[in-house]
Structures are given as C-alpha cells and as structure tokens.
Amino acid sequence: MPQLADASVVVLGATGGLGSQIAALAAERGAKLTLVSRDAERLAALSMAGTSVTADLRMPESAAAVIDAAIAAHGKVDVVVNATGVVAFGAVEDLDVDVLEELFLTNTFIPFFVAKAALERVEAGGMIVNISGIIAEQNMPGMAAYGASKAALASFSDAFGREARRKKVKVLDARPSHTETGLAGRAIAGEAPAFPAGLDPAHVAKIIVDAIEADTKDLPSSAF
C-alpha cells in the first residue's frame, strides 16, 4: 500500500470514538475521505473534509452504495476501514434473541457485506481493515455473545485475507484491548463491568493507520 497521501479511504463508523480518530489521522496524511455513519447529525458535525454518506450498513445493499459513492467522489477506493460495532453485556441465560441478532448483524454481517461489495473494486495493493479486538483472542464471562461475534469476525478476516490476495487486496484484522471510545457506555443490553482504564483512541488509531501504510498483515493485541 502506498502512503495515504491522495489515497481514497472509506471509514465506516466514522462518527465513533475510534472511527473518527482514524479518519482524522488519515486526513492529516493526505487521504481523500468517504465518511460513513447511520447518524446524519453526527456525520454532519465532523470537522474534516470528505464525502459524507449516511447509510445503515445492516442493509446488505448499503455496502455497495457506499463504495459507489466513494468512487463517484474520488475515482477509486484504496482502503476501507470498518470501525462499526455494538456491544452487549450479561450472562448467556439472560441474553435476548434480538440482542444476539443485533450483535452478529453489526459486528459480523456488516464486514461480510462490505467485503463482498468492496473486493472487486478496491484498487490492487489496497486494503480492507476490520477491528475485532482483544475479545476475539480471549472471550470473557458476561461478554460471551459479543466476544463470539468478534471472534467470528477475526476468523472471517483470516480466511478472507487469503482469498483477497488473489485480487492483490490485503485484509488487516486489528485486535486492540479495551479502548476508551465510549462504546461500553452505549451497550445495547446490560451494564459494563468495571474495566480498568482503556487505551487512548488516538493511540489505537495511530497504530492502525501506521499499519495500513506499512502493509502490516495482522495487528494482535500485543501490537497495541
């Protein structure tokens, strides 16, 4: 992957605590951004240049529409960063089926939809980035369903990465430990346990953006 200067970078979940930091850093390095969120107001409030796309990526057709918008705006797509995600807490015996479906739809299915839409259209040498997190390496009681959705994403990224090599597209899975994005406070079910202080999102974003430019193949939790 060349340096991000003049690269077309799509950031999904661009209004989130980590997505916004990744987008801002990519912009500092000269990337042309396509910023994606399903919250139009928060998207409009982002203070960085780029094409904004309001989309609910849980709808399979939205992924292709986002890639179309990026190509229409910038002529190509070099990097897609999937920073979407939801979290839920609680014991398996208390898990609501609707919560389980939302966890897997957002954390697992959206990356599937995006991978399918982007693979044929990302420039050769480009990259698709997923963020599964340390929970994909070691699941925890009270987070079993969330951890399973992220472990599925990590497994998908590994196998998809080997397929994507045939198209000269790289797939990077990042697995940072708990990061202070505010996501735990917006859980779709349950209450977060008392986590120790997490990583600074700016620190995590820098490692991910550096990894994109360095052509890194994997970012385990130890990299953060």
Side-chain angles (χ1 to χ4, degrees):
M1 178 67 207
Q3 298 298 297
L4 287 176
D6 294 322
S8 172
V9 177
V10 180
V11 181
L12 312 172
T15 57
L18 185 54
S20 60
Q21 292 284 343
I22 291 171
L25 187 53
E28 286 179 13
R29 299 189 187 187
K32 299 173 182 177
L33 299 179
T34 300
L35 305 166
V36 185
S37 174
R38 62 181 175 182
D39 189 325
E41 290 186 5
R42 291 178 66 194
L43 195 56
L46 289 176
S47 57
M48 63 188 84
T51 297
S52 295
V53 181
T54 303
D56 186 347
L57 291 165
R58 297 172 299 179
M59 303 295 105
E61 65 276 7
S62 294
V66 164
I67 300 301
D68 287 344
I71 292 173
H74 305 301
K76 61 176 182 171
V77 172
D78 295 298
V79 178
V80 179
V81 179
N82 179 21
T84 61
V86 293
V87 67
F89 303 100
V92 171
E93 62 183 328
D94 299 324
L95 184 66
D96 185 90
V97 171
D98 290 340
V99 171
L100 179 63
E101 289 179 346
E102 180 63 22
L103 284 169
F104 276 84
L105 183 56
T106 300
N107 296 342
T108 312
F109 282 23
I110 284 176
F112 283 30
F113 300 153
V114 171
K116 185 174 177 62
L119 181 58
E120 296 291 338
R121 306 182 73 187
V122 170
E123 294 291 301
M127 184 178 287
I128 298 171
V129 181
N130 291 322
I131 303 170
S132 61
I134 193 173
I135 195 75
E137 297 179 352
Q138 184 175 8
N139 209 343
M140 295 177 60
M143 300 177 68
Y146 170 69
S149 71
K150 288 294 193 173
L153 173 57
S155 178
F156 169 75
S157 297
D158 178 53
F160 174 56
R162 283 176 275 163
E163 293 181 13
R165 282 202 298 262
R166 296 196 292 267
K167 305 287 187 181
K168 300 186 187 317
V169 173
K170 302 170 186 68
V171 177
L172 171 65
D173 181 53
R175 300 185 296 282
S177 58
H178 173 58
T179 303
E180 297 293 346
T181 62
L183 182 65
R186 300 189 298 273
I188 62 173
E191 294 186 7
F195 289 119
L199 298 175
D200 182 344
H203 167 76
V204 173
K206 183 177 185 303
I207 290 173
I208 291 172
V209 172
D210 285 349
I212 293 169
E213 292 196 309
D215 252 356
T216 302
K217 295 180 180 179
D218 190 49
L219 278 178
S221 58
S222 58
F224 295 88

